[in-house]
């Protein structure tokens, strides 16, 4: 399987509870390398732009407000089949449906406050990585 890169966001519900290290340990235990990482406090405009694809969904306003409420940690994860592997490690979007041992099962509070975001496909991974990082910031 090819080496891929994917964008990950540790969301405000997790940074608030000081879970960055515990979540990063799950990525590393799964063989994903953190090749870029920074902590940001997104503005409402930045969060709205990042999640623009969901702008017609009923939860969009709530999602944007939550993502801009407190700091996030944005990161690039690298590894074999990193996009799918990260989605496995995260677990289902709704923690009620997530498998045991996944990040969302262990840490998420609700479908909205679900601790992490991960890119869902190669094209979105590319777009999402370039939303937050320049090439110079990716150190594999
Ligand atoms: P994420 O992987 O970041 O992609 C879009 C986000 O929208 C998703 O995780 C959830 O946090 C959020 N989301 C999806 N469905 C709902 C919902 N029904 N109510 C609130 N937020 C939701």
């Amino acid at each position: 399987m090819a080496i891929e890169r994917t964008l990950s966001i540790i969301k405000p519900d997790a940074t608030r509870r000081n879970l960055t290290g515990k979540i990063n340990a799950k990525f590393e235990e799964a063989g994903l390398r953190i090749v870029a990482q920074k902590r940001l406090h997104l503005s409402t405009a930045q969060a709205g732009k990042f999640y623009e694809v969901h702008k017609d969904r009923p939860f969009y306003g709530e999602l944007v407000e939550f993502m801009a409420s407190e700091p996030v940690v944005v990161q690039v994860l690298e590894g074999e089949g990193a996009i799918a592997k990260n989605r496995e490690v995260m677990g289902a979007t709704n923690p009620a449906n997530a498998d045991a041992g996944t990040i969302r099962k262990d840490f998420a509070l609700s479908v909205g406050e679900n601790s992490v975001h991960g890119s869902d496909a190669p094209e979105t991974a590319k777009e999402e990585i370039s939303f937050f990082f320049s090439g110079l910031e990716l150190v594999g």
Side-chain angles (χ1 to χ4, degrees), residues 14-122:
T15 61
R16 174 176 13 107
R17 290 176 291 148
N18 218 17
L19 292 171
T20 300
K22 286 194 170 126
I23 290 174
N24 280 349
K26 296 238 190 217
F27 295 140
E28 293 185 341
E29 280 158 16
L32 292 164
R33 301 181 72 81
I34 301 164
V35 299
Q37 175 167 264
K38 58 191 172 190
R39 184 175 165 101
L40 303 171
H41 194 151
L42 298 176
S43 66
T44 304
Q46 288 165 334
K49 180 83 185 143
F50 180 79
Y51 277 115
E52 202 166 29
V53 64
H54 295 304
K55 67 177 185 312
D56 296 328
R57 309 286 284 273
F59 55 81
Y60 178 69
E62 191 186 317
L63 173 62
V64 169
E65 192 186 328
F66 166 60
M67 291 301 288
S69 65
E70 286 185 71
V72 296
V73 174
V74 295
Q75 16 181 232
V76 178
L77 307 178
E78 182 183 87
E80 279 196 16
I83 297 166
K85 189 175 281 182
N86 182 36
R87 294 179 72 75
E88 236 178 82
V89 176
M90 289 192 300
T93 304
N94 186 340
N97 304 324
D99 289 338
T102 61
I103 292 170
R104 285 167 171 160
K105 187 63 170 187
D106 288 356
F107 303 126
L109 301 176
S110 65
V111 66
E113 299 200 21
N114 65 353
S115 301
V116 279
H117 166 82
S119 307
D120 63 2

